[in-house]
Amino acid sequence: MRERKRVACVIPPFYRLIESKNNRLSPAMHYVAETLKLRGHEVVFINGDFADDSVDYAERLSMTLNSWLFAERYKNGHESFEEVIQILVNFKPDIVFIGAGDVLMPTVEMGSTQSCAYIAKRIKETLGKDSIVCVGYGHLLKYAKKCDLEDLDVVITGEGEEQAIEVVEKGLRGKLPSKWCQDMDSLPILTGDYIFHEYKPEDWDYIMSMRGCPNRCTFCHQPSLRGFNVSTMSPERFVRELRYRIEKIGTKGFYFSDMIFAPGTGPRTIEMINRLIALKNDYPDFSWWAEARVDTITKREIVENMKRSGCRHLKFGVEMANQEMLNVVKKGINLKEVENAFKISAECGIERTAYVLLGCPGFNDEDYKKMWQFFYDLKADNYVININVPYLGTELHEQIKDRLIDFNLYKDGEESFIHTSLVMKEFWNISDETLNMYFSLQGKKDDSDFRKYKKKIVDKEQYMKNRQIVYM
């Protein structure tokens, strides 16, 4: 018999600090919550970025131009933090897991070291420093500033299912060595009776069949997290969870959030697509979208079968429409492959997103301007404009760390920058003209049937004057 503990799993506010929200369920923390629930512990899963329908999602340009708000609010406080604290006061947990970047999706903005640190401090102040264990969980904590770790009793920087058990049941403490799940079929099917906020079916669209990535892009956290270790879920197990969510939750559209879904044309890919076709036959409303590499979209027959299986949108990391830049960041693709993948996908009736990444060592604003025409000519259905962030632990950071220090960045640990950061725009000398050019390309988002995205640019002058939010 094990002692039953009260455990809270918290995604700290992040999007809400920049006038947006994120009601999706973070997969890494969800697996930790489910694992502990199955072992008999009392669990609550709290999403600090949750907001009801009275709050719309901010579109990408708004989040970029509002990114300065993050620092203002995690330093000075925000109602979203206090909402989480009040839930915890009522729940009276023994242990709180706090997210700081989702280790399963390291290129996605979910949580931050500073937001994690702020809420850990507030928890200790409110619930009693000696009466509660705060666990920081996320990839950004691997290189966090010392001050951001002060109120964390435990730090988990790898995949947390196994270590969460040891923290809760065996009293494991300290900064733990990174571990990863090698057998994804052994993972529990995710349920939701412990989720605090009232969720909708679309909040369950993140789902994964693979962890890790075999590629080596210099700007990505993944190599420092898993190295070359890639774990896969069997097609049978993956489709079993899809069926559960369709039947029990009511989810119809899914975001396959693998770093690369169905890489290559091998037996696993073929079996996966065949099982998805069977699922689509059983549930005609079932659809999915996924991350993909352009060098895997080469065989028309496979792409046609992807469409038959319910694929409606593929998201391609094009990043840079300049072969020299692609070589510098070790993307491993060429522009001909980009054009071919976009052409085949369109001809097969699949919508396409082009990820754009501005900022590359050795290049300047004029070089970014010159790329624009290539992206325009792709006629993508949507464009996601990112600004390159040299996270600690990445090869990119090692390449330019002296420049970063000269720019007064990353002097004593990880910064809370996201791919819409105006600070990084300044670092790369990206002009307003260039940024506006790229944001003029934005089209229809893959999940726009479920989520409303609005222009919500905050007037900075008004905010600094009277702390009031006024949209421009």
Side-chain angles (χ1 to χ4, degrees), residues 98-148:
I98 310 168
D102 190 313
V103 295
L104 303 184
M105 300 191 296
T107 61
V108 174
E109 307 100 347
M110 270 190 180
S112 72
T113 52
Q114 282 84 350
S115 193
C116 173
Y118 181 90
I119 208 161
K121 182 179 180 180
R122 290 286 295 113
I123 288 169
K124 294 283 190 176
E125 290 173 345
T126 307
L127 300 179
K129 192 174 183 66
D130 299 324
S131 66
I132 194 165
V133 175
C134 285
V135 184
Y137 177 34
H139 65 280
L140 294 174
L141 293 170
K142 191 170 185 178
Y143 303 99
K145 295 172 181 286
K146 186 177 180 180
C147 63
D148 291 332

Side-chain angles (χ1 to χ4, degrees), residues 113-114 140-149 175 390-393 397 404-405 408-417:
T113 52
Q114 282 84 350
L140 294 174
L141 293 170
K142 191 170 185 178
Y143 303 99
K145 295 172 181 286
K146 186 177 180 180
C147 63
D148 291 332
L149 303 177
K175 195 168 186 177
Y391 295 112
L392 274 163
H397 177 268
L404 290 163
I405 291 173
N408 201 34
L409 298 176
Y410 296 101
K411 284 188 174 181
D412 57 355
E414 186 66 75
E415 305 278 3
S416 243
F417 298 133

Side-chain angles (χ1 to χ4, degrees), residues 249-262:
I249 309 298
T251 309
K252 297 178 180 178
F254 292 86
Y255 183 177
F256 296 172
S257 54
D258 303 8
M259 298 297 289
I260 311 163
F261 181 71

Side-chain angles (χ1 to χ4, degrees), residues 373-386:
Q373 189 65 46
F374 181 91
F375 281 108
Y376 176 82
D377 291 341
L378 282 179
K379 296 292 187 285
D381 300 280
N382 188 41
Y383 295 84
V384 175
I385 314 304
N386 290 318

Side-chain angles (χ1 to χ4, degrees), residues 13-23 47-52 54-64 66-67 69 73 78-80 109 418 420 445 451-458 469 471:
F14 183 79
Y15 283 96
R16 285 189 63 188
L17 303 183
I18 54 175
E19 288 301 289
S20 190
K21 65 179 183 179
N22 185 11
N23 289 0
N47 179 7
D49 265 332
F50 178 90
D52 61 26
S54 66
V55 177
D56 292 316
Y57 288 82
E59 43 77 57
R60 197 77 175 173
L61 177 61
S62 295
M63 288 199 294
T64 300
N66 293 343
S67 61
L69 261 175
R73 285 174 158 173
H78 184 251
E79 62 184 14
S80 55
E109 307 100 347
I418 59 175
T420 57
K445 287 181 64 66
R451 298 177 177 90
K452 295 179 181 178
Y453 292 87
K454 297 289 183 67
K455 182 179 178 181
K456 302 171 68 177
I457 301 171
V458 175
I469 294 293
Y471 296 137

Side-chain angles (χ1 to χ4, degrees), residues 297-314:
I297 304 298
T298 56
K299 292 193 175 182
R300 184 176 298 274
E301 179 185 0
I302 290 180
V303 181
E304 288 173 345
N305 283 336
M306 290 170 73
K307 175 66 176 178
R308 285 181 57 208
S309 75
C311 178
R312 72 182 199 188
H313 200 122
L314 290 174

